[in-house]
Every structure is written in C-alpha cells, then in structure tokens.
Amino acid sequence: MKTVVAVLTVVTAIVGLWYIACVPMNIKGVLDAAERAGEQVEPATARERREASALGLVVQNSFAIDRVWSVDRPRLPAPHQVVVELWQTTVMKKITSKRSLIYHAQVTLSATLLGFAIGTGLGILLAVGIVHSRVMDMSVMPWAIVSQTIPIIALAPMIIVVLYSIGVQGLLPKAIIAAYLSFFPVVVGMVKGLRSPDHMQLDLMKTYFASGNQVFWKLRLPSSMPYLFTSLKIGIAASLVGAIVGELPTGAVAGLGARLLAGSYYGQTVQIWSALFAAAILAALLVALLGLIERVLLGRMGVKA
C-alpha cells in the first residue's frame, strides 16, 4: 500500500508540473492566435506583449488559461491531450489502420524481438567464451566495451547503407541495430553471473570429480540466471530503442520511429508525444513479461532471485 501511495504521489507531482510547464511553453502561440482572430489582447501593443512575462500575460488575459492546455499544435502538449491521442490511436482505430499505434508498435516489436534474440544469443556465446578462455577475455572484452562508445545515431545510417548496398532490406537491418544495443548488457551480466560461484563451491565440485561441462551446467549456469535476467531486462529496452532508431534513417512508413518522423515533419507534437509514450508502455510490458518469466523459471530451478 505504501508503494502504491508513493508511486501515485510521484505521478501526481509530475503531471502537475507538466501542466504548469504548458503555460509558458504555449502562451505565446495562444496570444498570437487570439490577436490574429481580432480578440483584445493586453498589453495592447506588440512591444509591451514581448516585454511582459508569460505568467503575467496569463494573469492579464484569463481567457488564455484554458487555451494553453488545448492548443492544436502546442510546443508542449498537455497530459490529457496525450492520453486522448493514445486512446484515439489505439482503442478507436482498427489494428490494421496506418494511423493505429498498435499497428506501428507491432512493426517495431518484430524488429525488437528479432534483434533481441540475435543480441542475446551472441551475448551469451561471447560470455561463455570469455569465462572459459583467457585469450578471449583479454582480447574480445575490451573491443566489446569500445563498441558501445560509438553513438548509435551515427552508426545506424552506416549500417543501413552498407546492408542496403548488398541487397539486405526490410526487417533485418533494424534488427541488427537492435542487436547491437542489446548484446553488451547480456555479455556483461552473463560474464558476471558465470563467475559468481565462489572458490568453495568450485572446490566442492572438484571433490566430486565433476568435469568442466558438469561444473558449467550444474553450477555456473544456474548461478548466472539472476544476473542474466537482469541484463535481459536492460537489453530488451535497448533493443526497442535500437529498432526505433533503425527506422529513422530508412524513411520507414511503419513503426514507432516512422510515427515520430511523421509527427516531426508536420509539426504534430501531440502525435510525437503519444508515440513516445507508446514506446515507453511497450518497453514496460516487455520488461514485465521478462520479470514474470524470471520468477517462474527461477522458482522452478530453486534459484533465489
């Protein structure tokens, strides 16, 4: 109960600050529109209006208070505008509609899951090699770390251009970008997990004359599961970001990234914010699903999370 109250308090504070921020962000557009429509705006002259503060104008022009939260193309949309847009583009639209966020989300989700599968597979294999090979630990791990210093926004167009030049198009380029962002957390978490058994546990396995494979399957791998799932939760969110970024340089017509592009082209800030919230909700659902799988799997294995 305390957790729920704490969360609701934080959310309420954020929403309240959001509404307050809409006033200085949108007031100029409201007053300019009112002036073009011939309404009386105080102060009377343009010079006085520029010199007055945004909050002062709201006090002198009380009609603007309601309008700053209902502008058609606001600089900062109000929370209820984003909620209405989310409702209209999910519940009120058919899933097959090009204006449905569910349609765009499933396009992005397909690239996210494929990239996550590729990144997770490569990450686990690389982690196993690093743990069992000193050479790989000294040579591969530094390169894996250095690879994450390259900004994805700069790397994504390069990957797209190279893959397009050899005829690879569609889902795979976006999945590769998603895999690039997801594999590193998996590598780091899996390496930490495989190395988590202490010397006493390893010595005990030796007293049982356990082989290297038996030590891996019966000790190292079960011990790594909590670390792995923690990394997977980070990796799935990173994959979603990679899939969205991968849609931007391709000029995609479908996907959350395409929705963001369309909103920026036509100045539809409400559409942009609704797409951002849709991405956040999708990421939260994916992380929650992994958390559920983690509890079930670790419970059946008898491993403490």
Side-chain angles (χ1 to χ4, degrees):
M1 185 62 184
K2 292 182 179 180
T3 302
V4 174
V5 173
V7 171
L8 290 177
T9 301
V10 172
V11 171
T12 302
I14 292 174
V15 172
L17 292 174
W18 188 348
Y19 271 112
I20 294 172
C22 290
V23 175
M25 293 294 291
N26 300 331
I27 184 63
K28 185 178 183 299
V30 170
L31 295 178
D32 288 343
E35 186 177 19
R36 288 194 298 268
E39 299 182 39
Q40 180 64 36
V41 178
E42 296 179 355
T45 66
R47 180 178 179 181
E48 291 173 339
R49 189 173 69 250
R50 285 194 301 268
E51 292 176 353
S53 65
L55 292 178
L57 283 174
V58 173
V59 173
Q60 297 177 27
N61 301 275
S62 58
F63 71 90
I65 295 179
D66 292 334
R67 299 186 186 183
V68 294
W69 297 317
S70 58
V71 182
D72 290 336
R73 293 186 177 183
R75 291 183 178 179
L76 177 63
H80 68 271
Q81 290 181 294
V82 178
V83 172
V84 169
E85 178 70 12
L86 283 171
W87 178 266
Q88 292 179 345
T89 53
T90 53
V91 179
M92 304 302 293
K93 297 290 182 183
K94 293 182 179 180
I95 297 178
T96 56
S97 172
K98 296 296 181 63
R99 298 188 63 184
S100 171
L101 275 178
I102 297 178
Y103 167 78
H104 291 285
Q106 68 183 8
V107 173
T108 302
L109 180 62
S110 59
T112 298
L113 294 179
L114 179 58
F116 178 66
I118 295 172
T120 299
L122 291 176
I124 292 175
L125 291 176
L126 187 60
V128 172
I130 289 173
V131 169
H132 287 87
S133 173
R134 179 69 175 174
V135 174
M136 286 193 66
D137 187 15
M138 298 297 294
S139 59
V140 177
M141 193 62 176
W143 284 106
I145 296 173
V146 170
S147 69
Q148 299 303 301
T149 63
I150 304 174
I152 188 61
I153 197 66
L155 186 62
M158 298 168 58
I159 295 175
I160 297 295
V161 169
V162 171
L163 293 178
Y164 271 38
S165 66
I166 60 176
V168 179
Q169 301 181 16
L171 186 66
L172 189 57
K174 295 185 292 183
I176 291 177
I177 296 172
Y180 169 80
L181 288 183
S182 65
F183 96 99
F184 183 72
V186 176
V187 170
V188 174
M190 195 64 178
V191 168
K192 180 68 175 177
L194 292 174
R195 288 175 173 170
S196 61
D198 56 34
H199 290 292
M200 292 185 62
Q201 293 172 317
L202 294 172
D203 290 341
L204 180 61
M205 295 296 289
K206 290 180 180 180
T207 61
Y208 293 151
F209 299 100
S211 64
N213 287 335
Q214 289 174 323
V215 171
F216 176 80
W217 291 105
K218 296 183 180 296
L219 178 60
R220 290 190 183 275
L221 187 61
S223 299
S224 69
M225 286 296 103
Y227 298 88
L228 175 60
F229 274 101
T230 300
S231 300
L232 292 180
K233 293 174 185 177
I234 300 173
I236 193 69
S239 291
L240 180 61
V241 173
I244 293 174
V245 172
E247 291 169 350
L248 300 180
T250 61
V253 297
L256 294 176
R259 191 74 173 170
L260 291 171
L261 278 178
S264 64
Y265 287 155
Y266 299 105
Q268 297 289 346
T269 53
V270 179
Q271 177 178 312
I272 295 173
W273 279 76
S274 65
L276 290 173
F277 270 84
I281 292 170
L282 181 58
L285 291 175
L286 292 172
V287 172
L289 178 60
L290 282 174
L292 178 61
I293 296 173
E294 177 185 16
R295 288 194 297 271
V296 173
L297 181 59
L298 296 188
R300 295 178 69 89
M301 292 177 62
V303 177
K304 184 178 180 181

